[in-house]
Amino acid sequence: MRKSLLFAIALLAFAVVGRAQYQLPNPGFEQWDGTSITAEPTHWNSFATSDGSFASLASSPHHYHRNGGRPGAAGSSYLTIYSTSIFGIVANGNMTTGRVHAGGMSASSSENYNYTQRDNSSHCQPFTGTPDSMYVWVSYYAASASSQGQVKAIIHGNNNFRAPNDENNPALYCGTATANFVRTTSSASSMQWQQVKVPFSYNGISTANYILINITTNGVAGSGSANDSLSIDDIEFIYSAWLTDITLNGTTVDGFNRGVLDYDVVLADTAALSAAVVAVQTQAADATPVVATSRLTDSTAQVTITVTAEDGVTVKVYHVNLSAPMPEPAPGPVADTVRYTVAVQCDTTMGSVSPAGETVVDSADMFTVTATAAEGYHFVGWSVVPGYANIVPNNPFTFAVTSDVTVTAHFEADSVGDDDTVWYTVTVLCNDSTMGSVTGSGRYMANSVVTIEAIPTGMYVFEWWNDNVEDNPRTFVVTSDTTFTAIFHVHGGIDDRNVPSVAVYPNPATDHLTVEAEGRVTLSDISGRELMAAEGPVVFDVKALSAGVYLLQCNGAVRRIVKQ
């Protein structure tokens, strides 16, 4: 039963949070109408508030307020209902969002039912959503292995719906979802939680105005045994944002599957990019798709399809990546051949590229690169420096070579599904790609152990990472999205241990940095960009600098400075 004050507060909160009802109030049984173990959960009703000619006989408690919850629960309470025996007749445990009507002595009497009482706000639940399925956590004990507990949801019209009496009249209801389940534990003293998932069936013809939820220790009235018990936690309605079809110019995209979110399509020519028409079909009629097309380059485009479910919260995003060969350039005058170097690279832990390394080609030649993802990863796109401002999704990717260029393939870890696994992105960079390379970028499961490495080339050496750690290779546990930058310098270029001619203090510095040395003194960031310069000796004001590592140069020596 709902107390008037609690109901008024809950109703106000519900009106502010969402004007249409897409989830039940108090679905996890966290609010109760009192402190007693037999108090009713807020927005729910039991035999204690029943009506009918036998209400006084049936009014004894058949439920408990329990502390705890299902595995991973955010709350601290759950509901337990249980059956009893009255004059040798089994009275099933019963909890409803409506009202219990006890009108007959026989358990199967048509005068015994749960119903929505629209003129009593404590015994009705307005609801206008049309969810696609219902998830509910249960722990069920029954003396008989064949007994079945039940949670049933009935979305009905503007009427005082009675269950089970009106369940065969489709004019009175819109849709139903019924979760039937056998016992999850064979011991009355143990708990064994299980999440039950059932679809809604919309075979009624009424509007959606109210919802009647009925929870019982046995789906058959009067069946089961005394002391059968059913514990319930976290009832959730699920709304679909899946697509069932994506078409390009009237034809389904090759390889379409509703769980696959990205597709690559090669068109005949670049003119077809502008003429491409993408249409979609949603699984749920009340989901809203938005289709937007972005032209990435002269030969590529991306179609983004954002599908928002009826509840306005559940969203799926699909991508269709379009590409087309560029038209052959018109022949020009014969000139001396100019040749350029194309460097193709990737993180080899995530995949491979072909051709890998450096290739020398004639100016304006068409060059093709191909990326192959390793197991557990998928290709995202190419970055081309210099040349393209955006990631290019084509694979293979063909482009005209007009300068020395570095082409990098980017991969991401595959999704593991709609579970609660947390993933983080580790990005590994270097201050100058001509001095060396790095490995270890990727997406990793939370608390994974990851190793990154900086690999210098030629006359260069690795000095430290941007957070002042010198370990290389470096191993750490992933707990968040993280970016590391490897610092390379010419061999012998930095020596923090033996620079007697340059006195620098304090280091680390907070407000001011004093340099006692003759000659020109410069302070630069780790990329080499000069920030301050003066003739020594000098005191630099560093209050405005961000915390991090900087380079001080004087008399041919380089010192590492830490700004706090």
Side-chain angles (χ1 to χ4, degrees), residues 332-354:
V334 177
D336 293 337
T337 300
V338 178
R339 299 177 69 79
Y340 295 112
T341 299
V342 179
V344 185
Q345 62 186 17
C346 72
D347 185 336
T348 56
T349 63
M350 298 183 179
S352 60
V353 291
S354 176

Side-chain angles (χ1 to χ4, degrees), residues 340-345 355-362 365 367-369 399-407:
Y340 295 112
T341 299
V342 179
V344 185
Q345 62 186 17
E358 296 185 349
T359 304
V360 178
V361 299
D362 291 343
D365 274 3
F367 192 82
T368 300
V369 291
F399 60 97
V401 180
T402 58
S403 66
D404 291 336
V405 66
T406 298
V407 183

